[in-house]
Amino acid sequence: DAGVIQSPRHEVTEMGQEVTLRCKPISGHNSLFWYRQTMMRGLELLIYFNNNVPIDDSGMPEDRFSAKMPNASFSTLKIQPSEPRDSAVYFCASRSGLTQYFGPGTRLTVL
Amino acid sequence: TQLLEQSPQFLSIQEGENLTVYCNSSSVFSSLQWYRQEPGEGPVLLVTVVTGGEVKKLKRLTFQFGDARKDSSLHITAAQPGDTGLYLCAGLMNYGGSQGNLIFGKGTKLSVKP
């Protein structure tokens, strides 16, 4: 299995631009999570899905952030418009039982 | 307020030394996990502990879950440079019998010098 796949691995954009991060979970996993990691705040949960349905989005910072999971094999996290304070590493993870697998992350830099 | 407090935040030791890192909370968790994260990669699960007082060993790593399921420790014997990384603890809280999400600590950044 290829594991959790994220794209792009690196994204540099300018303030105000739209950013879309993509995730392909491990086949058969029914839970998908989006996290953001910074030095100051550590690893923060943004949103998670069970069986493609959003369960808890209380970690989404504000309306500029949105996430979708149109099917069991694909999810997106969109930031529109992006701001410099959104710069961080964004991780997608999928889970089967108690075992959670993280993707390699997308390093986002907003100038 | 951080639900899971990890200490120390940073630890720099020489190869061969022993170390312990701690993960503490005032909340009870149904299970607790330890992850290791290397630069440029996502966290990788090391172990899951479920029962209060449980001890698990993974080669030179020993993990313990507190009796009250509020805290945990990770002990590394004879540390090696390959142990260098960010160690994260994460607690799982169940909601109404269904699995919820993991709550992560901020991590302990370990550096083992040869």
Side-chain angles (χ1 to χ4, degrees):
Chain A
D1 198 325
V4 176
I5 299 172
Q6 289 187 248
S7 65
R9 291 294 311 275
H10 302 272
E11 177 82 33
V12 180
T13 190
E14 292 189 344
M15 184 173 64
Q17 295 297 306
E18 178 180 298
V19 174
T20 299
L21 311 181
R22 296 173 176 80
C23 175
K24 177 177 167 52
I26 293 173
S27 177
H29 287 190
N30 58 6
S31 297
L32 182 142
F33 304 80
W34 282 100
Y35 292 89
R36 178 172 67 178
Q37 188 175 40
T38 61
M39 287 287 293
M40 288 294 294
R41 300 174 69 89
L43 199 60
E44 301 174 281
L45 177 69
L46 300 176
I47 185 171
Y48 81 95
F49 297 83
N50 267 357
N51 297 315
N52 313 340
V53 176
I55 301 300
D56 183 357
D57 66 354
S58 59
M60 296 285 260
E62 46 199 272
D63 291 346
R64 297 184 297 108
F65 285 68
S66 62
K68 292 183 180 178
M69 192 164 184
N71 57 62
S73 60
F74 184 65
S75 178
T76 59
L77 177 68
K78 186 179 291 187
I79 308 173
Q80 165 64 16
S82 58
E83 296 183 2
R85 61 190 167 123
D86 301 331
S87 297
V89 181
Y90 290 80
F91 288 102
C92 175
S94 67
R95 189 164 85 195
S96 174
L98 289 179
T99 304
Q100 188 154 311
Y101 298 85
F102 283 80
T106 295
R107 181 174 292 277
L108 173 66
T109 303
V110 183
L111 303 173
Chain B
T1 304
Q2 192 73 17
L3 201 57
L4 271 173
E5 297 285 347
Q6 286 192 244
S7 61
Q9 272 189 282
F10 302 96
L11 191 55
S12 181
I13 61 172
Q14 292 296 131
E15 182 176 2
E17 292 184 17
N18 301 333
L19 66 114
T20 302
V21 298
Y22 299 92
C23 176
N24 294 294
S25 176
S26 57
S27 300
V28 176
F29 295 101
S30 59
S31 63
L32 195 135
Q33 300 183 328
W34 285 91
Y35 290 77
R36 183 169 72 204
Q37 184 179 17
E38 298 188 26
E41 298 181 9
V44 175
L45 180 64
L46 296 174
V47 78
T48 300
V49 285
V50 178
T51 307
E54 182 177 0
V55 176
K56 278 193 175 177
K57 291 196 173 186
L58 191 66
K59 296 184 181 178
R60 294 176 294 100
L61 279 59
T62 302
F63 305 85
Q64 183 159 8
F65 201 10
D67 290 342
R69 305 208 314 276
K70 293 181 179 181
D71 54 85
S72 181
S73 63
L74 158 60
H75 182 80
I76 302 179
T77 303
Q80 298 176 1
D83 296 327
T84 293
L86 179 69
Y87 288 82
L88 295 159
C89 69
L92 183 67
M93 289 178 160
N94 280 352
Y95 298 106
S98 63
Q99 284 184 6
N101 54 280
L102 286 169
I103 310 295
F104 279 86
K106 284 191 176 181
T108 294
K109 194 166 187 178
L110 172 66
S111 173
V112 183
K113 302 184 189 315

